[in-house]
Amino acid sequence: QVQLVESGGGLVQAGNSLRLSCAASGRTFTNYVMGWFRQAPGKEREFVASINWSGSNKYYADSVKGRFTISRDNAKNTVYLQMNSLKPEDTAVYYCAARITTVPDFHSWGQGTQVTVSS
């Protein structure tokens, strides 16, 4: 099982940027599809972005497409989420997740990091 630890969350004003990091350990990092999810108060956890092992395939939720960028540095066992043009509706706890490429569901999760965007 891979262990995931998020960092980089915090307070930011609308229109500004923030970069989240997720450090992985415990298993071979390159064998995993990595993803970011978020959960706002009163809402269910939702998909934000994902990236395959090589970084060639990236997927984004419509709500963040064009504003967020997911990337990974396999040498550092780290996945990033660059968040630009942040909006108050982006406020949520952001979770890093991992899954083996052949497994349909994400099975490893980080503890989450709070992102708060003020208007």
Side-chain angles (χ1 to χ4, degrees):
Q1 187 77 357
V2 62
Q3 289 78 51
L4 305 173
V5 180
E6 303 96 332
S7 63
L11 296 170
V12 64
Q13 294 186 34
N16 288 339
S17 300
L18 200 63
R19 189 181 75 163
L20 305 182
S21 298
C22 174
S25 63
R27 294 289 180 89
T28 304
F29 181 69
T30 55
N31 289 337
Y32 293 90
V33 174
M34 303 298 297
W36 286 96
F37 293 75
R38 67 186 183 185
Q39 186 170 22
K43 298 182 65 178
E44 295 185 356
R45 187 173 299 181
E46 65 175 342
F47 169 80
V48 175
S50 66
I51 184 170
N52 72 329
W53 70 270
S54 68
S56 60
N57 293 328
K58 302 176 182 179
Y59 299 93
Y60 299 93
D62 289 341
S63 59
V64 306
K65 190 174 183 179
R67 299 188 299 119
F68 291 10
T69 302
I70 188 171
S71 62
R72 67 191 297 165
D73 187 339
N74 290 341
K76 296 182 178 180
N77 291 340
T78 302
V79 63
Y80 305 95
L81 184 67
Q82 178 66 44
M83 304 183 293
N84 297 329
S85 301
L86 282 164
K87 304 175 181 180
E89 50 262 45
D90 294 319
T91 296
V93 176
Y94 284 71
Y95 297 91
C96 180
R99 65 173 176 87
I100 302 173
T101 56
T102 56
V103 175
D105 299 321
F106 286 86
H107 50 76
S108 300
W109 297 82
Q111 81 289 343
T113 185
Q114 177 70 48
V115 172
T116 302
V117 183
S118 62
S119 60

